[in-house]
Amino acid sequence: MSSFSTIIVGAGPAGIGCALALDRAEADASLILEAETIGSSFRRWPKEMRLITPSFHSNPFFQTDLNAITPDTSPGDFARSEHLSGREYADYLNTAVDHFGLKVSENEKLLELLPQSDGFKLKTSRRTRYAKTVIWAAGEFSHPNRELFPGSELCPHTSDFRSWDDYEGETATIIGGYESGIDAAYHLVRRGKKVIVLSSGEPWAVDDPDPSESLSPFTRARLLEILSDYPDRLVLWGNTTISSVSRLSDSFIMETEEGEVFDYPSPPLLATGFHSALEPIKDLFEWEGGIPQFTEDDESTLHPGLYYSGPSLVQRNSKFCFIYKFRARFGVIARSIVQRLQNREPDLEDDRRRGFLVDDLECCTNCECAVESEAEPVETKR
């Protein structure tokens, strides 16, 4: 019988970060299960894609690199890059696993997670394992959101591309105007393509103190760059919801709920994000209005001992969708597991000082201190 105190599902930043927090809490041995290889989702990014949050080695000043998964490492210092590529970030994750000696079982896919009276049974592609507690840290990149409207099966998703050099058309229509949509538009415009971005809202015009609700400064700056350098190559079409896509001879016809029709020779690209990382085990969590519910320790409200770490985390209606957000809960999860299994209070004060144990969520959900931006708005072209 293969048994561990804690099994972590997923060897991305959330899974490895939680394993390292457990180590700092001096918890009993844990195991990370990875369906593919460490950081494999990042290696599938288009080679031009970069982390939108900047990396900088300010750790010695108690300002940990925003993309770090542990207080004593820095992706910026590791890669000598401010905005890392997916491959660079995957290399950082691999190096962290090797340096700290974490136990990772690669190419072992979880097939079924079954709650038991005293823990959990995990059926994998290799064997059956048991754990007293489980941290679900599987990512979202493997679950692109494709099933949106009739004809969406005709549309490639932006995550299907390994490089924007592979795009063959002279024009491109992108459905979705948030980070991945504008990232795709930026690279295609710089390759001489004419691009139209169709978005249900106008995220390029949103000024919101929550970075989950508006374009990141990195993406916004690149958008302004191509609008300035190539004004005739990009059209932003906001407040438009695609209702169907069909193919007619050599054309792709897009109809909108507003009654507009677009006709282009190339299939539109879906920049429509990803399904929740909890999708494979959604029945083990409580949901309200499509939002997963957690205890104050990021635990399932239905099955005690089942924790979640990653971009689908929501606490007090605030999204923890970036690395620097959900890593703030690594220490919270580690503390809860040690209290549950070992009946003691771990010393994680350094995690608290460095932002890896944030249990006062008022600072995350109250943005009254925000200063209004004076930046010029990005106009929609119709």
Side-chain angles (χ1 to χ4, degrees), residues 178 208-215 318-322 324-325:
Y178 282 86
D208 194 294
D210 183 351
S212 309
E213 302 296 334
S214 58
L215 294 180
S318 183
K319 302 175 184 176
F320 286 70
C321 53
F322 295 143
Y324 71 83
K325 286 184 169 185

Side-chain angles (χ1 to χ4, degrees), residues 271-323:
T272 47
F274 303 87
H275 291 293
S276 168
L278 291 167
E279 187 73 18
I281 58 167
K282 62 182 180 181
D283 292 341
L284 300 183
F285 287 82
E286 183 181 3
W287 296 75
E288 290 184 8
I291 299 176
Q293 304 299 301
F294 304 98
T295 69
E296 291 187 356
D297 290 335
D298 301 346
E299 192 176 8
S300 169
T301 57
L302 302 178
H303 299 283
L306 174 58
Y307 296 83
Y308 173 69
S309 179
S312 289
L313 180 63
V314 179
Q315 285 282 8
R316 300 190 188 180
N317 296 319
S318 183
K319 302 175 184 176
F320 286 70
C321 53
F322 295 143
I323 293 166

Side-chain angles (χ1 to χ4, degrees), residues 116-266:
Q116 308 287 295
S117 60
D118 58 348
F120 298 87
K121 179 192 291 187
L122 297 90
K123 294 183 178 180
T124 79
S125 54
R126 294 185 187 175
R127 67 194 75 181
T128 297
R129 298 184 182 274
Y130 295 87
K132 295 178 181 177
T133 59
V134 170
I135 303 174
W136 185 265
E140 298 182 342
F141 195 76
S142 299
H143 307 286
N145 190 15
R146 301 178 186 271
E147 301 79 22
L148 299 161
F149 44 75
S152 58
E153 69 277 3
L154 300 172
C155 312
H157 195 275
T158 52
S159 63
D160 295 334
F161 289 84
R162 297 296 170 264
S163 170
W164 290 113
D165 290 334
D166 298 335
Y167 186 84
E168 297 179 351
E170 293 304 313
T171 60
T173 309
I174 300 172
I175 300 175
Y178 282 86
E179 299 290 345
S180 60
I182 300 302
D183 181 74
Y186 173 80
H187 293 294
L188 291 171
V189 165
R190 292 192 64 83
R191 282 161 173 73
K193 315 296 183 181
K194 292 185 176 180
V195 178
I196 179 172
V197 175
L198 303 171
S199 176
S200 58
E202 293 184 328
W204 47 79
V206 171
D207 180 17
D208 194 294
D210 183 351
S212 309
E213 302 296 334
S214 58
L215 294 180
S216 67
F218 178 61
T219 299
R220 181 182 172 84
R222 292 183 300 153
L223 174 59
L224 291 173
E225 175 190 320
I226 55 175
L227 286 172
S228 174
D229 294 348
Y230 310 103
D232 297 328
R233 292 186 192 171
L234 177 64
V235 174
L236 301 174
W237 198 294
N239 300 317
T240 298
T241 302
I242 301 297
S243 58
S244 68
V245 172
S246 58
R247 185 167 186 173
L248 181 63
S249 186
D250 293 329
S251 295
F252 290 85
I253 312 299
M254 287 160 282
E255 298 185 32
T256 76
E257 292 182 359
E258 295 75 23
E260 294 161 316
V261 178
F262 298 88
D263 181 348
Y264 283 91
S266 299

